[in-house]
Amino acid sequence: MANPLLVAVFSYLPSFRLLLIFVSVFLIVKTVLQKKSYTNLPPGPWGLPVIGATFRLGANPGRSLYELSRKYGKIFSIKIGPRLTMVINDVELVKEAYGKKADATSARELYPLNWMDTSGALISCSGSDVKPLRRFLLRSLRDFGLGKKSSELLIMEEAQHLCRGLAQTDGRSFDPRDLIQMAVANIICTLCFGQRFDYTSSEFNQLITSLQAVSHVSGFTIARDFPLLFLAPRYKAFREGGALLRKMMDDIMNQHKLTFDPQSPRDVTDKLYQETTSSAGKNQFSFGDDRVFRTMIDLFGAGADTTSTVLQFAIWHMALNPKVQNKVLIEILTKVGIKTPPEMADRARLPYTYATINEVLRMNHPVPVNLLHRATDAFDLAGYTIPKDAEMIAPMWSMHMDPDVWENPEKFDPERFLTPDGLSVTLPDGFIPFSSGSRMCLGENLARTELFLFFATIMQHFTFHLPPGAIPSHSGYFGFFLWFPNQFKIEATPNF
């Protein structure tokens, strides 16, 4: 006897096939008509309905976009999912688009994750709040020491905590990623939440683990346009990490509200609460408590992830390039010594060390495809017309690995950032690790200070080696817009 369920399913197959044919034809016609509606677009690869040319990005979108740029030029168009995207691979064009034409290019719509309550209010926001919020946050960070001796001392002290943590490995091979991320995260936690965590704190370890579960997720380029994909089993860790991150950040923010004194702000969170609850703040910002939370999530995520990733790659490169590592060590021991901690005033005296940091940033930028912008008006660029609502990407990978700009770009060579006499650092025009224009990285000053002080301090104390039998690797993986080193182990040998 036939199964009634199967009979019912097969009875609907003709109708389903007709529906599928209708939807396919509709999407194809829509794609063709939409393409015809655009005029004077930059050239670019063909794509498919709905998914566009996303399949061309592969596991390493930074390198893939770079390879496409070698074929289609300094600016090309591509469909990423259903969205028309302009890929700008030239520094001067980036400065023109994001600087001179910022009024038409400063909007952002990064990810539709409001349903997970993990989307931010700073990195992805657009509209009238952007400029006053950025100005306010910069002012608040400066109020709590950014760019001053107090923040430098804070980072110098945390660098010593990191060295003590590295010393506890006793020469054994270990994965340094969590330890480095906790050290960097403590800086942003102190500035934003007035709180430093011990590396052994279970709460802190949970916070770092949840952040990693969100930021290390891959496949974002397609899932952002089809958010139901985040319900798939492969995103289980992402969902659980996002929920835990939300809960822990909620706990921190709620504790702040309970002890908040508008007359005596303790950190950036208090300053933002003070501003949004005052009459002046209500005129300046159009958001309340929830957007305060989202702003702090953005600051924490960006502050804890990007700089720590660069430092992880830095240690990795030192182990892979012992001659470079030895030059860094000799320079530090000669110019600073073994007893005095490096400080920012030493940066001019340590040009090779500073150049090495810049070379790590060039080769392994933590955001290799950069963040998306959206055109709020049509504008002209390089002889092409960029239509309204088109997205824009300026991939760091393409600009920092361009053989027309950088000699032998695949080679790790800090000397490319030195003057011919080797006595000072020069930053080429093609080097824009913090992007450009009105939405360039808000934390550039903090990041540069952290990178120099953390790197110089750990290099003063340790020499890094690959464990015996380890196979050298230059690979990494692409996560939530970020580029991370593959899991690796290292040995840290004390220098004294």
Side-chain angles (χ1 to χ4, degrees):
M1 187 174 181
N3 187 312
L5 179 60
L6 290 176
V7 171
V9 169
F10 279 106
S11 68
Y12 279 102
L13 276 179
S15 298
F16 178 75
R17 283 197 294 268
L18 285 173
L19 177 62
L20 186 60
I21 292 171
F22 173 79
V23 171
S24 300
V25 171
F26 171 78
L27 290 173
I28 292 172
V29 171
K30 180 182 178 184
T31 301
V32 171
L33 292 176
Q34 187 180 51
K35 187 174 182 179
K36 286 186 175 181
S37 69
Y38 297 130
T39 58
N40 196 31
L41 282 181
W46 61 269
L48 298 171
V50 182
I51 66 170
T54 306
F55 61 90
R56 297 180 183 275
L57 301 184
N60 186 345
R63 182 174 289 278
S64 298
L65 291 172
Y66 162 73
E67 291 171 352
L68 287 170
S69 75
R70 303 307 294 173
K71 179 178 181 180
Y72 293 103
K74 294 181 177 181
I75 178 171
F76 66 89
S77 58
I78 185 174
K79 278 288 191 74
I80 299 180
R83 303 176 188 230
L84 177 64
T85 305
M86 304 295 117
V87 184
I88 309 171
N89 305 285
D90 178 79
V91 169
E92 292 307 315
L93 289 180
V94 171
K95 291 178 179 178
E96 180 180 349
Y98 292 173
K100 296 178 182 177
K101 300 180 178 179
D103 288 345
T105 64
S106 295
R108 278 187 179 154
E109 289 179 6
L110 278 183
Y111 41 89
L113 294 180
N114 286 332
W115 58 282
M116 278 195 65
D117 287 331
T118 54
S119 61
L122 173 62
I123 294 175
S124 61
C125 74
S126 299
S128 59
D129 285 336
V130 176
K131 289 183 179 179
L133 178 59
R134 285 174 61 90
R135 285 196 298 265
F136 172 80
L137 291 174
L138 275 173
R139 188 169 65 250
S140 298
L141 286 167
R142 291 188 186 112
D143 288 345
F144 291 101
L146 183 61
K148 302 177 182 177
K149 193 65 179 179
S150 56
S151 66
E152 182 179 338
L153 292 173
L154 171 67
I155 298 168
M156 290 171 63
E157 181 181 353
E158 192 62 45
Q160 297 301 321
H161 285 293
L162 174 57
C163 287
R164 285 191 282 272
L166 292 170
Q168 291 175 7
T169 63
D170 293 325
R172 301 185 305 272
S173 62
F174 69 104
D175 186 336
R177 294 179 299 174
D178 287 353
L179 196 59
I180 292 172
Q181 187 154 35
M182 285 189 286
V184 175
N186 259 334
I187 303 303
I188 203 69
C189 283
T190 303
L191 290 172
C192 290
F193 311 128
Q195 183 176 5
R196 182 195 177 272
F197 295 88
D198 189 88
Y199 297 165
T200 61
S201 163
S202 59
E203 179 186 7
F204 194 35
N205 277 268
Q206 275 191 315
L207 188 63
I208 296 300
T209 300
S210 64
L211 176 64
Q212 290 173 347
V214 173
S215 60
H216 288 230
V217 65
S218 61
F220 172 76
T221 49
I222 187 67
R224 75 185 183 107
D225 291 304
F226 306 98
L228 288 179
L229 290 177
F230 283 115
L231 299 177
R234 67 167 295 182
Y235 292 108
K236 180 181 179 182
F238 172 80
R239 296 193 302 272
E240 292 176 348
L244 180 58
L245 180 62
R246 170 83 198 201
K247 179 182 181 304
M248 298 192 74
M249 291 291 288
D250 263 338
D251 290 343
I252 292 173
M253 302 296 285
N254 287 333
Q255 182 62 34
H256 257 75
K257 290 184 70 174
L258 290 173
T259 56
F260 170 58
D261 180 359
Q263 303 304 317
S264 182
R266 302 157 293 184
D267 46 48
V268 176
T269 302
D270 277 359
K271 291 282 283 187
L272 196 51
Y273 273 135
Q274 181 188 54
E275 189 72 13
T276 55
T277 55
S278 70
S279 57
K282 288 178 182 177
N283 292 327
Q284 187 173 182
F285 304 119
S286 60
F287 58 83
D289 284 2
D290 188 61
R291 289 281 296 279
V292 171
F293 165 83
R294 295 176 189 278
T295 300
M296 303 320 293
I297 267 221
D298 273 352
L299 284 177
F300 173 71
D305 252 336
T306 52
T307 301
S308 66
T309 300
V310 178
L311 288 171
Q312 291 164 34
F313 273 116
I315 287 179
W316 193 27
H317 278 293
M318 293 304 93
L320 293 175
N321 299 275
K323 290 183 180 179
V324 172
Q325 179 172 208
N326 191 51
K327 285 185 177 181
V328 171
L329 175 60
I330 290 174
E331 182 179 69
I332 293 173
L333 296 185
T334 302
K335 302 292 181 60
V336 179
I338 61 174
K339 294 184 179 180
T340 305
E343 55 186 43
M344 287 306 293
D346 294 320
R347 193 169 71 174
R349 299 196 299 140
L350 300 174
Y352 192 83
T353 302
Y354 183 31
T356 300
I357 296 169
N358 287 319
E359 179 68 345
V360 176
L361 261 177
R362 183 191 70 83
M363 284 198 71
N364 298 103
H365 195 279
V367 193
V369 301
N370 216 331
L371 300 179
L372 291 162
H373 287 229
R374 178 174 57 83
T376 51
D377 288 299
F379 67 97
D380 293 332
L381 185 66
Y384 299 107
T385 300
I386 311 302
K388 181 181 178 181
D389 292 327
E391 291 191 332
M392 291 158 286
I393 298 178
M396 294 296 184
W397 190 300
S398 297
M399 291 181 286
H400 290 171
M401 299 297 284
D402 186 350
D404 296 333
V405 178
W406 307 91
E407 183 179 353
N408 198 3
E410 299 285 346
K411 180 183 178 182
F412 186 80
D413 182 13
E415 293 187 14
R416 69 176 81 247
F417 286 98
L418 294 174
T419 54
D421 59 11
L423 298 179
S424 59
V425 168
T426 178
L427 301 180
D429 291 338
F431 185 59
I432 53 169
F434 298 95
S435 194
S436 181
S438 63
R439 298 299 293 264
M440 68 183 297
C441 178
L442 184 71
E444 177 179 358
N445 189 306
L446 176 62
R448 287 194 181 279
T449 305
E450 288 179 323
L451 286 172
F452 177 77
L453 292 177
F454 275 121
F455 181 69
T457 302
I458 60 179
M459 293 306 299
Q460 180 190 50
H461 285 76
F462 298 97
T463 298
F464 297 96
H465 311 276
L466 292 174
I471 300 175
S473 169
H474 289 276
S475 60
Y477 65 94
F478 190 71
F480 194 79
F481 271 95
L482 300 174
W483 181 247
F484 299 100
N486 284 332
Q487 184 175 5
F488 69 101
K489 288 194 174 182
I490 209 81
E491 293 178 355
T493 303
N495 292 329
F496 50 87

